[in-house]
């Protein structure tokens, strides 16, 4: 039913395509998430002034 797996030490072209698409989705999603977080964090931020050290 299933063919025997023969591994010759290299990946096939299909495996490289699947690997590259998977990495693109993962890293693209992380970059998009960081972009959205930075964009959302900077919208309503008030200007922060340095403390003078006194209460």
């Amino acid at each position: 039913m299933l063919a025997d797996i023969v591994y010759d030490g290299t990946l096939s072209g299909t495996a490289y395509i699947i690997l590259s698409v998977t990495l693109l989705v993962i890293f693209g999603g992380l970059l998009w998430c960081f972009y959205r977080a930075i964009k959302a964090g900077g919208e309503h931020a008030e200007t922060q002034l340095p403390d003078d050290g006194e209460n």
Side-chain angles (χ1 to χ4, degrees), residues 2-32:
L2 295 175
D4 290 335
I5 297 174
V6 177
Y7 180 64
D8 60 354
T10 61
L11 295 176
S12 66
T14 306
Y16 278 115
I17 291 172
I18 293 171
L19 182 62
S20 62
V21 169
T22 304
L23 291 175
L24 179 67
V25 167
I26 291 171
F27 288 117
L30 285 172
L31 288 174
W32 177 81

Side-chain angles (χ1 to χ4, degrees), residues 5 30 34 54-55:
I5 297 174
L30 285 172
F34 284 129
E54 298 176 8
N55 289 335

